[in-house]
Amino acid sequence: MSGVDDVRAPAIVLVSGDVADQLREQFWRYSREYELHIAGSCAEALRVTRSILDTGSTVALFVSDSRLPDDDVLNAFQQWRALVPTARRLVAPPYERFLVDGPALRPGLAEGKYDAYLLMPRGVRDEEFHQAVSELLSDWGSTAADPEVFAASIVAEAHDALVWAIRDYLDRMGFPNRLCSPASPEGREILARAGGTPSLPVVSVLDRTPVSASSVRDVAVALYGVPDKLDVSEVVDLAVVGAGPAGLAAAVYGSSEGLSTVVIEAEAIGGQAGSSSMIRNYLGFLRGISGMRLAQRARNQALRFGTRFFTGHDVVVLAPGRPHTLETTDGRVLARAVIVASGVRYNRLRVEPLEALVGLGVYYGAAMSTAREMSGSDAFVVGGGNSAGQAAVHLARYSRSVTILIRRPSLAETMSQYLIREIESNPRITVEPRTHVVDGGGDGHLGWLTTERLDTGERIARPAAGLYLLLGASPHCSWLPPEVALDEFGFVLTGRDVPPETWTGGLPPASLATTVPGVFAVGDVRSGSTKRVATAAGEGASVVSSVHHWLS
């Protein structure tokens, strides 16, 4: 059954032995843009799925009853996932089975064997149910499906390191994008609008004049302008440096409480968290949320209260004073209070042959924009934190295999247990402890790696199409003046951790205040912080009360 003429429309497969008609009725509203297929058993769903794939289409969502006539539902999901790893998976039992079957099935939800457990609607307009379904389809559409509507186009001869960096930036900013050959009709039209003989790559965003881009910053300037052109001539109450979770929370709470607030971000909104494919333990999002979406929602919330954002602009100097002066790559901002939320940057691997392939199969960070290119290939993730785990789970939807390499004996010390369980239950992911990368290379793109066991010294050369480096991180605060005290690793000291000789009247600064009055630090850049998204957001929210106290 199809509600669209295009046979290549993505499909929703509904599987039930005795309530198929009820499922079909509830999912009828989706038939306009998805093909609906009914199957009465696991085996029939496999046949239906293969026929869908044979037409060149794919499955966006599997919806199953909690009981199937020929197999356990979790085993069924495993079989369906082997055919379509990118599809989302939903259990929607009828009322009489919802409470009875839930306890046995919910551990599988925690292990990532399926994505949601919802009571099948018992009447019309169950919008709570359909909101959850829409979230699953939206998540699928943003990570697995090729976008049908593009907000940005990049005209380039090849997918080189700069093109990858631009696409990664646009993805993290929430701009669906495509790569066009200069010889294609779309490419020729964009080049004609650019005028003259522009150097490649040329980037066209929305209806703005296409620009030649020599860096990601050129794209950011084309999108948002430069500070000089955005009228920051007045002294603002609060300047936030960094738009990760901590900086975004500070912006929301500062501007909502009446402070004139400016946020300066060197790269993309969301910071490192913005590249996370799915954050499942953030309060209030029971089905998880991608880092990009969390960041864009926070940005829009801050904009609603009057925050102004400048992206693609590095702060190069902070000059303390009354007001403080922030010198940027394109101007300056004067602020009565400054919040340092510039976060951290991943440490370099320092294997020269691989450094030469950054952007060409070697990536620092999760690099969600490249995951689809790993289809049928072997990918490696270096790192044992939550970001590395989330990247591995996302890559496993596309790659033939994903190997996590860590120096520690296990993931238990550095990764959340829910992610460890999900990794252990995914047959495409393996973990190799006490192992690091020592060499690699390829002809213009990563083709192989050499790994070494730290305990035995054994070296193994293996094929690899992607290497994702989420190593330990270093604070991004080289722009701070010497008056701001740092710890031995370069993180910003705050509160009772600052040197006692800098205390005033025998009392330490406020808990998130630095050694410079009116300058505060939150999130990963702060010494002693917990490297979690929720913790960073909490610090960003709570620091605003200290800012108010300082301004008063």
Side-chain angles (χ1 to χ4, degrees):
M1 177 178 64
S2 173
V4 293
D5 295 328
D6 181 6
V7 297
R8 298 178 65 88
I12 297 175
V13 178
L14 310 171
V15 191
S16 175
D18 59 356
V19 292
D21 289 341
Q22 292 175 248
L23 277 176
R24 176 166 46 194
E25 181 179 352
Q26 294 301 331
F27 278 83
W28 177 255
R29 65 166 68 180
Y30 303 97
S31 64
R32 183 180 179 87
E33 296 179 349
Y34 297 87
E35 290 188 350
L36 300 185
H37 295 263
I38 304 296
S41 66
C42 171
E44 186 180 354
L46 288 171
R47 291 193 296 271
V48 168
T49 300
R50 291 189 182 99
S51 68
I52 292 168
L53 298 176
D54 287 342
T55 68
S57 186
T58 190
V59 177
L61 177 66
F62 287 103
V63 183
S64 177
D65 190 358
S66 57
R67 300 180 191 178
L68 297 176
D70 61 339
D71 207 343
D72 174 78
V73 65
L74 296 184
N75 290 333
F77 276 136
Q78 285 287 80
Q79 296 176 65
W80 302 336
R81 182 164 71 173
L83 288 178
V84 192
T86 58
R88 301 312 187 252
R89 303 173 297 279
L90 165 64
V91 180
Y95 178 77
E96 59 271 19
R97 293 198 277 270
F98 181 75
L99 293 178
V100 176
D101 294 346
L105 289 176
R106 284 203 171 89
L109 184 61
E111 294 168 2
K113 294 181 178 178
Y114 64 100
D115 299 295
Y117 186 84
L118 302 172
L119 174 65
M120 185 190 300
R122 304 178 69 189
V124 297
R125 293 182 294 279
D126 185 343
E127 300 306 335
E128 188 72 20
F129 174 87
H130 290 292
Q131 180 182 350
V133 173
S134 295
E135 287 177 356
L136 291 173
L137 291 172
S138 179
D139 176 51
W140 173 84
S142 66
T143 58
D146 290 325
E148 297 181 11
V149 178
F150 299 94
S153 298
I154 304 163
V155 183
E157 293 282 3
H159 202 162
D160 59 17
L162 175 58
V163 170
W164 164 75
I166 292 171
R167 296 197 73 177
D168 184 63
Y169 172 77
L170 291 170
D171 282 342
R172 291 165 63 188
M173 293 298 292
F175 286 90
N177 57 85
R178 61 179 173 177
L179 183 63
C180 303
S181 164
S184 67
E186 299 85 356
R188 289 197 300 268
E189 185 273 332
I190 292 170
L191 294 177
R193 286 197 291 117
T197 55
S199 58
L200 300 180
V202 171
V203 182
S204 173
V205 181
L206 302 175
D207 58 350
R208 303 186 182 182
T209 302
V211 297
S212 293
S214 60
S215 66
V216 172
R217 183 179 168 279
D218 291 338
V219 179
V221 170
L223 279 171
Y224 302 110
V226 297
D228 287 348
K229 297 179 181 178
L230 289 177
D231 188 23
V232 193
S233 55
E234 79 279 13
V235 177
V236 299
D237 294 324
L238 176 62
V240 182
V241 182
L248 289 168
V252 168
Y253 280 84
S255 55
S256 69
E257 295 179 12
L259 301 180
S260 57
T261 303
V262 160
V263 177
I264 306 169
E265 168 56 51
E267 297 179 357
I269 300 297
Q272 288 188 0
S275 65
S276 295
S277 57
M278 184 59 64
I279 304 168
R280 295 197 183 275
N281 61 346
Y282 194 83
L283 183 67
F285 293 92
L286 68 164
R287 284 172 290 277
I289 185 170
S290 72
M292 181 274 289
R293 293 191 173 194
L294 181 65
Q296 293 304 322
R297 289 184 185 188
R299 175 179 178 270
N300 291 336
Q301 197 173 10
L303 286 170
R304 178 178 181 177
F305 293 123
T307 299
R308 286 174 287 176
F309 285 86
F310 304 149
T311 64
H313 306 283
D314 273 303
V315 174
V316 293
V317 173
L318 166 62
R322 291 178 180 261
H324 302 297
T325 301
L326 290 166
E327 299 286 349
T328 74
T329 46
D330 288 288
R332 67 176 186 172
V333 174
L334 303 178
R336 297 181 179 90
V338 173
I339 294 176
V340 179
S342 47
V344 295
R345 291 181 175 176
Y346 289 115
N347 293 333
R348 310 302 289 187
L349 184 64
R350 303 189 188 283
V351 175
E352 290 307 317
L354 294 175
E355 294 292 344
L357 293 174
V358 171
L360 300 169
V362 178
Y363 308 101
Y364 282 94
M368 285 179 58
S369 59
T370 68
R372 275 174 283 190
E373 299 172 14
M374 295 296 108
S375 180
S377 302
D378 302 304
F380 291 78
V381 176
V382 179
N386 277 9
S387 295
Q390 291 157 0
V393 169
H394 183 65
L395 285 165
R397 291 172 172 163
Y398 307 90
S399 301
R400 176 174 56 198
S401 71
V402 179
T403 304
I404 301 176
L405 305 175
I406 55 173
R407 290 175 172 268
R408 296 174 183 267
S410 75
L411 295 171
E413 295 180 55
T414 55
M415 190 177 292
S416 294
Q417 187 59 37
Y418 83 92
L419 267 174
I420 295 175
R421 290 199 302 268
E422 190 166 357
I423 287 167
E424 289 174 345
S425 68
N426 194 316
R428 294 191 176 194
I429 304 176
T430 58
V431 180
E432 294 190 14
R434 298 189 182 281
T435 305
H436 67 148
V437 177
V438 295
D439 198 6
D443 185 11
H445 192 280
L446 179 68
W448 59 274
L449 291 175
T450 298
T451 60
E452 181 182 67
R453 290 277 304 188
L454 293 171
D455 47 0
T456 66
E458 178 188 10
R459 293 193 172 195
I460 302 174
R462 54 183 74 182
L467 175 63
Y468 297 82
L469 301 164
L470 297 100
L471 307 167
S474 300
H476 177 43
C477 54
S478 58
W479 50 277
L480 291 174
E483 293 92 329
V484 176
L486 310 177
D487 68 12
E488 59 182 316
F489 303 106
F491 291 88
V492 180
L493 292 168
T494 58
R496 289 186 172 275
D497 292 332
V498 306
E501 60 269 20
T502 66
W503 294 11
T504 302
L507 297 175
S511 61
L512 299 172
T514 72
T515 47
V516 174
V519 177
F520 306 84
V522 293
D524 290 356
V525 76
R526 189 179 67 81
S527 178
S529 66
T530 302
K531 306 301 187 279
R532 290 288 186 269
V533 173
T535 305
E539 289 187 5
S542 63
V543 73
V544 173
S545 61
S546 296
V547 172
H548 274 296
H549 185 266
W550 160 253
L551 293 177
S552 66

